[in-house]
Amino acid sequence: MAKALVLEEKDKLALRDIELNESLGPDDVRIAIDTVGVCGSDVHYYTHGKIGPFVVNDPMVLGHEAAGVISEVGGNVSHLSVGDRVVMEPGIPKMDSKASKLGVYNVDPDVQFWATPPVHGCLTPSVVHPAAFTYRIPDHVSFAEGAMVEPFAIGMQAAARAKIKPGDVAFVAGAGPIGIMVALAALAGGCAKVFISDLVEEKLSVATRYDNIEPILIGRDNPAGVLRSATEGWGADVVFECAGAAASIRSALEVVAPAGCVVWVGMPVDPVPVDIVLAQSKEIRMETVFRYANMYDRAIALLSSGKVDLKPLISETFSFEDSIKAFDRAVEARPTDVKIQIRMDGS
């Protein structure tokens, strides 16, 4: 039995003992968890009990953004050692699946992803995880920063799909945690400037703490007009739609430059219309993002280099004993909050 933060059912969390599979296989490592981030999907399961076809029918341990220290290694593991500071990629595919063989294991239909029903997450003091999806972080990268690698990997996936060219101008729709991560990844990937839009001015103020990120307040500013003015009428070379709202999806096609690229990152709750004729008339390229593949190493490298600083995005840290308070804080969705984290030792 292990103590964990358990989603019993919609709107009901408990910090209690639960039976978890803690057996260590030869290709696994055991990790003492230090820090776990609270993701929007965790909160959505808490408040809605489901995301699309994934329904919480049985108690489930939450959490999938984590960092910790290896406490035990399996017999076949040679590249990791006890005491290594690590982060864990939460989606485990079938290694012999066609998706894995093609290098796109994130779209393996049988992927087992932490805190996605019926798979338990990592908000518990110790977890067992495949060594192949466990990555060492250097000493100068904190556990709090390490726990940010998972959402930053989504930004990295989006930037990679965009095939950014040095000097590109980008537009990001939505200044939530993922939108900001995408903006930072786009800058790291070579964009000269990123414009980011949102309905909430406080969210934009968080994003624009960073150099070369410019705000567009929806309701006051028109994204297409701002981008035309900034690019001599051309538009954004790359557009990242991170809000998943019908209005911003329409706006994405208006903002993008001819022969530009739109990357769909946000996930609408319901199907939305897309103006295909407008897209055709500009001959734009469209890309989609679902989680990430082969991005953890790159994300860690950027954090290690100091070229990307995610520390300002950590809004509040709670102790493990206050995990329910942490989730209730996340449910509040304060406009200046980006990432709530939980520290297992409470310090």
Side-chain angles (χ1 to χ4, degrees), residues 162 165 168-173 195 216 222-229 231-241 247-264 274-287:
K165 297 181 292 296
D168 275 352
V169 173
F171 168 69
V172 175
F195 291 83
I216 297 176
N222 175 265
V226 172
L227 266 296
R228 282 195 297 268
S229 177
T231 59
E232 299 182 346
W234 186 243
D237 301 296
V238 182
V239 171
F240 300 95
E241 201 296 307
S248 68
I249 288 170
R250 288 194 299 270
S251 177
L253 297 178
E254 296 169 357
V255 170
V256 68
C261 177
V262 174
V263 183
W264 306 111
V274 176
D275 190 340
I276 294 297
V277 174
L278 177 57
Q280 288 173 317
S281 69
K282 293 184 176 183
E283 203 169 73
I284 65 170
R285 176 168 55 89
M286 294 189 190
E287 298 283 352

Side-chain angles (χ1 to χ4, degrees), residues 30-35 67-71 88 124-127 143 344:
R30 192 182 309 278
I31 303 117
I33 297 294
D34 183 280
T35 302
V69 179
I70 291 179
S71 60
M88 294 74 74
T124 187
S126 179
V127 298
F143 289 117
M344 301 307 293

Side-chain angles (χ1 to χ4, degrees), residues 25 30 48 85 97 104 112 132 157 176 180 216 228 245 252 257 274 333:
R30 192 182 309 278
H48 292 78
R85 305 167 74 256
S97 71
V104 290
Q112 300 286 298
Q157 182 82 357
I180 296 175
I216 297 176
R228 282 195 297 268
V274 176

